[in-house]
């Protein structure tokens, strides 16, 4: 686990630095970093502090959240296919966020945006845990996830299509694919407290998740309070995923890819996987966000497109493997 | 009922309905595009125009809301337009393509008008719609008035040209090769989008806008109903820019269509440039 961190943390730092110096405006890296730290006249400090810094911070926070939530859900459901985006949690959070924007709630009360996204996410996680709880198989989980996902995206589209704003329908893409373009520090402050609370909740599930690998009865015998574990997981996941989705849309596959890649490195202990996955998620999302800026700088490519291009083949591979095991 | 049956029959059999002879003036015109709506309302003879599209009655997009009240409203759907039994349908080049294709298949005469990308094309389109409606004299009078008003508003060539940015929802900007860009240029502004490499416009990253440091900022008016797309206009960078430079929130209606109404937009810009003069 220490070895994984020794690689991941410098990687995150390096990518964060790259994220700060890469952008559509042609600014030298030294000048950019100097303006970020020291300020100065002209538009440069503004660009660095109000556009690039929040973008970098959100990539770390959201990537970390998704990695963490993915690892926790996979540990709890003992299923490598559990992922917040794939099973409809992000989509439901997006629905909550869209409702808060379209009803004007978020304009009247800024916290309504993350709170409504949180509510959407809680609803989805509860539904999934009820439908496919610890005893349910992969198939039940994926089917329940597909149903929740489809419902959430249909309702999101419905709300946006009913909106009087002519831009609303075009926003469907943002909510389904996610983007970090042109976010501000306001969004960071809006999301960060919820993510911190959720991360704390999820961090405390580590021991319980480890015990759960031995089965529920064994975990119970070891003194793990299963109801409390479930509650922490539901609320924690909803907090981190809801807050991230509220400000950047639904970004899929991060929580699937990262734990999968890191599991061989840290071993099968869920508690060890939690924080390494958070670091890995941050690295992956930073890299994806750099990619959308480098590959198509003038197209506003959505972040979820990149993560899906990386994640979907892996998902297929996982299904293939699961099929092999069952046969 | 009978016309509905005829609609079905024509649809199934592909039999063209009796097409009006093209050399007679159309007597029942239906327009299904916001811009042709407005040109038709300006040019048509009394009773000649039967229906305009719903957008023509929306004050956020239409500069002729009151005039539009006098007409039936359509939603640019083939079925309702067919049932109105028009002898000429005016449509946009790129909108409601399925409806246009179906109406043509049913034998209705449909004229498609391209969106105007310059003030010169505004004149062309007035003439084009005038010819279609057999109202050439009216079109010529309108063009003459447009030319005279434009000449009076156009900025003198020697004046300083402040650099302005057009910035809309989703960070969209419009460049020199668009109607909005041409209005801006004729009013005596240089367009920041062209400098930044967007001759036709497109989504301009916020940091390019900030780095360009425009002298004036022109943003669109917010629509009702919250939207994430318009949130960018409240980004701290845009707000700071708006505080620092004379910004003008412009109603979109005058800017959207290539009609003489664009002079209203130009007038506001010219006034803004006049106000900026002492500061220079």
């Amino acid at each position: 686990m220490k070895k994984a961190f020794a690689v991941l943390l410098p990687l995150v730092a390096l990518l964060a630095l790259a994220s700060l110096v890469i952008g559509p405006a042609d600014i030298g890296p030294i000048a950019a970093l100097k303006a970020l730290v020291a300020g100065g006249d002209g538009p440069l400090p503004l660009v660095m502090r109000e556009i690039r810094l929040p973008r970098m911070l959100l990539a770390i926070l959201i990537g970390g959240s998704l990695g963490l939530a993915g690892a926790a859900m996979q540990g709890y459901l003992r299923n490598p296919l559990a992922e917040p985006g794939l099973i409809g949690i992000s989509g439901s959070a997006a629905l909550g966020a869209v409702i808060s924007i379209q009803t004007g709630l978020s304009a009247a009360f800024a916290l309504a945006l993350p709170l409504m996204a949180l509510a959407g996410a809680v609803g989805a996680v509860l539904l999934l845990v009820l439908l496919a709880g610890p005893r349910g198989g992969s198939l039940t989980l994926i089917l329940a996830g597909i149903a929740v996902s489809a419902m959430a995206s249909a309702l999101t589209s419905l709300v946006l299509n009913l909106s009087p704003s002519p831009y609303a329908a075009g926003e469907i893409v943002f909510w389904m694919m996610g983007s970090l373009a042109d976010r501000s520090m306001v969004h960071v402050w809006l999301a960060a407290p919820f993510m911190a609370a959720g991360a704390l909740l999820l961090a405390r599930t580590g021991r319980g998740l480890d015990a759960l690998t031995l089965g529920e009865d064994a975990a119970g015998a070891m003194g793990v309070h299963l109801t409390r574990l479930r509650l922490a997981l539901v609320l924690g996941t909803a907090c981190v995923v809801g807050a991230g989705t509220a400000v950047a849309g639904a970004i899929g596959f991060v929580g699937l890819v990262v734990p999968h890649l890191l599991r061989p490195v840290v071993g099968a202990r869920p508690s060890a996987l939690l924080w390494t996955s958070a670091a890995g998620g941050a690295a992956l999302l930073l890299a994806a966000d750099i990619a959308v800026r480098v590959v198509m700088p003038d197209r506003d490519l959505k972040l979820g497109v990149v993560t899906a291009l990386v994640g979907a083949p892996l998902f297929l591979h996982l299904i293939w493997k699961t099929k092999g095991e069952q046969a | 009922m009978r016309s509905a049956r005829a609609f079905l029959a024509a649809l199934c059999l592909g039999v063209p309905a009796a097409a009006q002879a093209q050399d007679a003036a159309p007597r029942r015109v239906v327009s299904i595009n916001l811009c042709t709506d407005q040109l038709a309302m300006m040019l048509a003879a009394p009773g000649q125009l039967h229906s305009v599209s719903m957008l023509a009655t929306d004050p956020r997009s239409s500069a002729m809301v009151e005039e539009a009240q006098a007409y039936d409203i359509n939603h640019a759907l083939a079925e309702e337009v067919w049932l109105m039994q028009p002898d000429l349908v005016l449509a946009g080049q790129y909108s409601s393509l399925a409806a246009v294709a179906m109406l043509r298949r049913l034998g209705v005469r449909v004229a498609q008008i391209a969106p105007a990308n310059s003030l010169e094309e505004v004149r062309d389109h007035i003439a084009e719609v005038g010819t279609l409606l057999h109202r050439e004299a009216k079109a010529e009078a309108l063009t003459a008035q447009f030319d005279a008003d434009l000449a009076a508003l156009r900025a003198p060539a020697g004046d300083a040209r402040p650099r302005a940015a057009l910035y809309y929802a989703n960070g969209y900007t419009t460049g020199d090769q668009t109607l909005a860009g041409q209005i801006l240029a004729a009013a005596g502004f240089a367009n920041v989008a062209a400098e930044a490499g967007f001759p036709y416009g497109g989504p301009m990253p916020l940091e390019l806008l900030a780095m360009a440091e425009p002298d004036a900022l022109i943003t669109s008016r917010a629509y009702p109903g919250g939207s994430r797309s318009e949130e960018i206009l409240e980004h701290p960078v845009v707000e700071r820019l708006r505080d620092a430079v004379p910004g003008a929130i412009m109603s979109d209606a005058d800017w959207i269509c290539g009609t003489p109404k664009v002079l209203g937009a130009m007038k506001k810009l010219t006034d803004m440039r006049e106000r900026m003069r002492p500061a220079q």
Side-chain angles (χ1 to χ4, degrees):
Chain A
M1 184 173 158
K2 283 219 176 87
K3 219 168 27 179
F5 274 121
V7 177
L8 283 173
L9 291 184
L11 182 66
V12 169
L14 199 71
L15 287 167
L17 205 62
S19 174
L20 283 174
V21 299
I22 293 171
D26 197 12
I27 308 169
I30 309 281
L33 294 177
K34 221 167 104 184
L36 176 69
V37 180
D41 295 329
L44 197 49
L46 197 64
V47 167
M48 294 308 298
R49 287 177 179 175
E50 288 291 349
I51 299 175
R52 290 200 190 169
L53 181 64
R55 184 167 191 159
M56 181 270 274
L57 290 176
L58 282 174
I60 292 180
L61 288 174
I62 295 171
S65 295
L66 291 171
L68 181 63
M73 291 216 75
Q74 290 175 18
Y76 180 71
L77 296 167
R78 279 162 283 161
N79 186 335
L81 300 180
E83 197 266 338
L86 221 51
I87 56 181
I89 303 173
S90 303
S92 306
L95 173 63
V98 165
I99 291 176
S100 86
I101 290 179
Q102 294 302 329
T103 53
L105 261 181
S106 65
F109 168 57
L111 279 179
L113 179 72
L115 282 175
M116 288 284 284
L118 184 71
V122 168
V125 188
L126 275 180
L127 202 60
L128 286 165
V129 170
L130 279 181
L131 283 170
R135 270 182 258 267
S138 300
L139 197 62
T140 326
L141 174 72
I142 294 302
L143 286 179
I146 289 174
V148 172
S149 251
M151 196 61 176
S153 71
L155 288 175
T156 304
S157 304
L158 176 70
V159 172
L160 289 173
N161 274 318
L162 289 177
S163 159
S165 169
Y167 304 110
E171 287 168 15
I172 294 174
V173 183
F174 166 82
W175 290 112
M176 312 244 158
M177 282 300 175
S179 164
L180 288 173
D182 299 331
R183 309 278 76 194
S184 69
M185 286 309 279
V186 178
H187 297 108
V188 177
W189 295 126
L190 222 49
F194 291 94
M195 290 180 167
L200 270 178
L201 280 171
L202 290 180
R204 296 170 51 142
T205 60
R207 202 181 70 86
L209 293 179
D210 283 349
L212 209 55
T213 52
L214 304 172
E216 271 168 65
D217 295 340
M222 286 164 75
V224 173
H225 201 304
L226 285 175
T227 327
R228 204 177 293 160
L229 178 67
R230 177 183 294 206
L231 191 70
L233 187 101
V234 169
L235 282 179
T237 306
C239 273
V240 295
V241 176
T245 307
V247 296
I251 300 164
F253 292 103
V254 175
L256 179 83
V257 174
V258 172
H260 178 73
L261 290 180
L262 292 174
R263 198 168 285 121
V265 181
V266 299
R269 252 177 52 238
S271 63
L273 197 58
L274 285 179
W275 292 109
T276 36
S277 284
L284 177 66
L285 205 61
L286 278 169
D289 190 43
I290 292 171
V292 300
R293 280 179 280 175
V294 173
V295 178
M296 284 191 184
D298 48 359
R299 280 299 170 86
D300 187 23
L301 186 63
K302 296 289 179 258
L303 210 43
V305 176
V306 177
T307 56
L309 283 177
V310 176
L314 184 79
F315 187 46
L316 289 175
H317 168 73
L318 280 176
I319 293 176
W320 186 256
K321 240 177 62 181
T322 318
K323 196 180 135 209
E325 280 163 13
Q326 277 167 357
Chain B
M1 189 60 214
R2 170 180 294 184
S3 48
R5 202 174 295 151
F7 174 78
L8 279 177
L11 203 61
C12 298
L13 302 172
V15 178
Q20 272 279 296
Q22 300 210 357
D23 47 349
R27 284 180 312 210
R28 198 173 167 84
V29 178
V30 171
S31 166
I32 60 171
N33 171 274
L34 174 67
C35 297
T36 56
D37 287 343
Q38 300 185 49
L39 285 172
M41 284 190 276
M42 287 174 193
L43 293 168
Q48 188 180 23
L49 180 62
H50 174 67
S51 167
V52 292
S53 76
M54 195 180 63
L55 279 178
T57 61
D58 182 347
R60 290 181 299 268
S61 52
S62 166
M64 298 178 70
V65 175
E66 274 170 36
E67 293 89 332
Q69 305 297 335
Y71 303 94
D72 279 9
I73 299 304
N74 69 68
H75 305 82
L77 298 172
E79 182 174 322
E80 60 174 352
V81 173
W82 164 262
L83 292 177
M84 287 173 178
Q85 298 184 299
D87 52 8
L88 173 66
V89 172
L90 296 174
Q93 180 98 60
Y94 304 112
S95 51
S96 315
L97 292 180
V100 167
M102 177 168 285
L103 287 168
R104 286 214 167 115
R105 211 146 59 87
L106 292 167
V108 179
R109 184 174 163 224
V110 182
Q112 284 175 294
I113 315 285
N117 283 322
S118 67
L119 294 170
E120 192 53 42
E121 283 179 29
V122 173
R123 304 175 82 254
D124 296 347
H125 290 166
I126 295 173
E128 199 178 340
V129 174
T131 311
L132 284 165
L133 297 176
H134 290 240
R135 297 276 290 166
E136 288 87 350
K138 175 85 181 170
E140 268 165 41
L142 195 63
T143 311
Q145 183 67 47
F146 177 70
D147 287 344
D149 293 346
L150 180 61
L153 278 175
R154 205 181 270 279
D159 270 20
R161 294 172 69 80
R163 296 160 60 250
L166 297 159
Y167 212 59
Y168 310 122
N170 286 322
Y172 208 86
T173 186
T174 43
D176 276 346
Q177 308 299 317
T178 63
L179 183 63
Q182 298 268 313
I183 296 170
L184 193 68
F189 285 90
N191 191 344
V192 164
E195 286 172 33
F198 294 91
Y200 298 96
M204 177 161 77
L206 194 51
E207 55 179 81
L208 289 184
L209 175 73
M211 294 302 288
E213 298 192 276
D215 301 320
L217 181 68
I218 295 145
T219 55
S220 53
R221 179 164 291 165
Y223 279 85
S227 89
R228 213 209 128 256
S229 306
E230 289 169 319
E231 203 182 273
I232 191 172
L233 302 176
E234 276 140 41
H235 193 285
V237 169
V238 177
E239 298 225 304
R240 210 168 298 187
L241 204 58
R242 214 185 329 235
D243 291 343
V245 303
I249 292 188
M250 292 288 175
S251 124
D252 276 325
D254 280 348
W255 292 78
I256 293 176
C257 284
T259 74
K261 297 282 179 191
V262 297
L263 297 174
M266 208 173 136
K267 175 81 171 64
K268 284 183 208 153
L269 282 177
T270 315
D271 290 348
M272 183 165 86
R273 202 171 54 87
E274 289 299 322
R275 284 200 305 276
M276 288 169 72
R277 200 190 287 273
Q280 286 168 17

